[in-house]
Amino acid sequence: MKKLGLLGRNIGYSFSRNYFSTKFENEKITNFSYQNFDIQDIALFSSIIKETPDLVGMNVTIPYKEEVIPFLDELSENVKQIGAVNTIKVLPNGKLLGDNTDYFGFSESLKPLLKSTHKKALILGTGGAAKAVAFGLQQMQIDFIYISRKIGTNTITYTDLTEDIFNEYQIIINCTPLGTFPNIENCPDIPYQFFTQNHIAYDLIYNPEKTTFLNKAQQNGAIIKNGYEMLVLQAEKSWEIWNK
């Protein structure tokens, strides 16, 4: 039995395990299993590799998309540019290859919503998922800036957000965990009144289906999308990587 899994912390809610278990059942795939590797510290990663015979790959989620990189032997070109990993493949020689399929899932799920006016984006957050989103936007030739609590390279703070910035950057992407179940009333602290029908509000969160961020944006006319399709697309891309 070939083993796959999800590496993360406090991941009982995991999309990936449910998705792949259902996939294996529906597609009569009997030679694979999928489990959660829920660890409190990335230092425990090496023991998972040692103690899990027949492991062929894993997905990686919060908070280890960047922290896992020093434990890997090889990185895909995507990862070298993004700086975050969401897919690991165990190569035939036992070495670990880090790859990223988040950017693919994000880009492919955003494309159908884009109009010619959507030239610039605001990325809320600066973690591993935000880096993959930034790479996806670059591939689509959409300019972006990060919004964070601290100012930095290509990064402004939440308090810097003005109506003029909103008018210029008409794609707003939530890459923070704010609003994830069970804390569904939370949302990024942005001026929601500046959303218009020209805006796309995209939330990487999929649980709940409509976050407070998406609700508030929609009330002001924005087109909204959650992260479910992105997750499905990145999962299928991971499956391809493990099987090629």
Side-chain angles (χ1 to χ4, degrees), residues 32-215:
F32 276 91
S33 66
Y34 196 102
Q35 68 192 89
N36 282 351
F37 297 108
D38 198 327
I39 56 174
Q40 290 303 304
D41 192 298
I42 194 61
L44 298 166
F45 174 72
S46 300
S47 58
I48 292 173
I49 301 300
K50 282 197 195 99
E51 292 162 18
T52 315
D54 305 318
L55 184 70
V56 293
M58 57 174 75
N59 293 118
V60 184
T61 189
I62 294 171
Y64 300 131
K65 290 186 182 194
E66 295 159 285
E67 288 183 32
V68 78
I69 290 176
F71 294 85
L72 306 177
D73 303 297
E74 296 177 31
L75 301 176
S76 70
E77 286 308 311
N78 299 333
V79 169
K80 286 174 189 172
Q81 292 184 64
I82 294 167
V85 163
N86 82 313
T87 303
I88 296 169
K89 179 175 183 169
V90 182
L91 299 171
N93 60 7
K95 291 198 165 171
L96 303 177
L97 168 69
D99 211 328
N100 191 300
T101 66
D102 277 337
Y103 84 92
F104 172 82
F106 167 72
S107 303
E108 292 303 308
S109 60
L110 178 67
K111 280 174 186 172
L113 306 180
L114 293 174
K115 296 181 179 145
S116 57
T117 49
H118 294 126
K119 302 282 189 207
K120 294 186 175 183
L122 300 176
I123 300 175
L124 311 181
T126 55
K131 288 178 173 174
V133 163
F135 183 72
L137 292 170
Q138 281 171 332
Q139 303 292 96
M140 293 186 280
Q141 299 180 314
I142 294 172
D143 288 338
F144 63 88
I145 52 175
Y146 293 105
I147 313 297
S148 180
R149 284 175 305 222
K150 292 182 193 151
I151 204 153
T153 309
N154 200 33
T155 306
I156 63 171
T157 67
Y158 286 92
T159 50
D160 295 325
L161 284 173
T162 62
E163 189 169 4
D164 285 345
I165 290 172
F166 254 72
N167 288 339
E168 192 181 346
Y169 292 81
Q170 295 191 341
I171 308 167
I172 321 280
I173 306 144
N174 179 33
C175 298
T176 77
L178 289 169
T180 309
F181 181 84
N183 304 309
I184 59 172
E185 69 292 337
N186 293 348
C187 62
D189 185 13
I190 60 173
Y192 290 91
Q193 69 272 22
F194 298 147
F195 275 104
T196 69
Q197 61 195 23
N198 300 321
H199 284 84
I200 296 169
Y202 189 118
D203 201 329
L204 268 59
I205 295 167
Y206 68 95
N207 182 15
E209 200 171 309
K210 196 191 283 185
T211 56
T212 301
F213 166 79
L214 291 180
N215 247 320

